[in-house]
Amino acid sequence: MEDIELLNEATQEAEAAEDSRALYEVKMKFLGRTGKVTALLKGMKELAAEARPAFGKKVNALREALEEKFAAIEERLKKRELERKLEGEQIDVTMPGRHTKAGALHPVTRVKDRLIDLFSGMGFEVFEGPEIENDYYNFTALNTPADHPARDMQDTFYLTEEFLLRTQTSAGQIRVMEQKKPPIKILSPGRVFRSDDDATHSPMFHQMEGLVVDKGITLCDLQGMLDEFARTMFAETTKTRLRPSYFPFTEPSVEVDVSCTACGGKGCALCKGTGWIEVLGAGMVNRRVLENCGVDPDVYSGFAFGMGIERIAMLKYGINNIKLLTENDVRFLEQFKD
Ligand code: DAH
């Protein structure tokens, strides 16, 4: 009698199982090591010896019947689970797709690459100097000895008496002239550092230096190259003008203006009504600088120029605060994709 009751009980519970996990629990409850059917078999030793074979046969039949039942139910449950899983994984082709935003080059990188492109087209090679410089390369060799008032033009981060964070990529001019004999035509891009901080100045910014040394180089060569630079970087109609200025490492020295990038020269708020905007410093390499590098100034002459890359980017793209270039706000940066 016991076996019929157990069969009914187990069948009922198995039928009620919601999923294969629950069915497994039922299976263990009856057929597991401590299960009810197993317990019947274990209890067999208490029976009289002659009653055991018949009892054993009955329990084994019960076990087989249960195993068959469980297997059938399990198959049904597995099938249902698979169906549910497939239903859940159906792809809704009408759902809107997920967009991955494409990155964009930083405006400073764009301008730097553009400049390298432009000048390498004119035969310039790129040379990169170190960001930690010594006093000699950054100042002294550039005709700016320790007591020179022009040192005050650049608020310098000194690391030690001798070492500093370079304030200008002009230091690269010396390094190149020490390594290479003329003709020289190099471009030296990189980070520079000054203790300055306002809407148009940042303690770290980028410069692009240019140096040409050869026989018979004149200011006209500089002017011609600058015209090409201004037309390529800004607009085909952009004009340049040279204003006398002073840098210890050039003689004569000039400040280079371009016709205003906003009004084209008529006069506006950006150019403060003058029609011109200052973009870089330049000049003919000072004889003393050539001499410092073992280049004979009676045989060779050269011109040099240095520009702030952020400044060019701000003019080109109409950016009014230099901080925007370092804040990494994606809404700002993603606008430069042209
Ligand atoms: N180094 C100068 C500065 O940082 C810029 C400069 C002016 C570079 C004249 C030059 C140059 O090569 O000839 O203000």
Side-chain angles (χ1 to χ4, degrees), residues 142 153-154 167-171 173 192 194 205 207-211 246-247 249-250 253-255 280-285 303-307:
L142 286 161
M153 288 161 75
Q154 302 177 355
T167 57
Q168 48 189 356
T169 43
S170 307
Q173 290 185 26
V192 298
R194 290 187 204 177
F205 61 103
Q207 281 189 337
M208 179 75 79
E209 190 81 12
L211 173 73
Y246 176 76
F247 297 103
F249 33 90
T250 42
S253 301
V254 293
E255 211 76 70
L280 59 99
M284 298 306 292
V285 181
F303 67 73
F305 59 91
M307 65 185 92

Side-chain angles (χ1 to χ4, degrees), residues 111-129 166 169-170 172-173 176 180 184-190 207-212 225 229 303-307 309:
V111 169
K112 187 183 96 176
D113 289 354
R114 196 77 208 280
L115 287 168
I116 291 177
D117 222 42
L118 162 68
F119 285 104
S120 47
M122 296 188 216
F124 283 73
E125 278 174 70
V126 173
F127 166 86
E128 286 184 65
R166 68 174 172 197
T169 43
S170 307
Q173 290 185 26
V176 168
K180 226 169 119 76
I184 290 171
K185 225 175 175 184
I186 60 105
L187 203 57
S188 190
Q207 281 189 337
M208 179 75 79
E209 190 81 12
L211 173 73
V212 175
M225 189 215 67
F229 151 78
F303 67 73
F305 59 91
M307 65 185 92
I309 301 181

Side-chain angles (χ1 to χ4, degrees), residues 35 37 51 87:
V37 177
E87 250 165 52

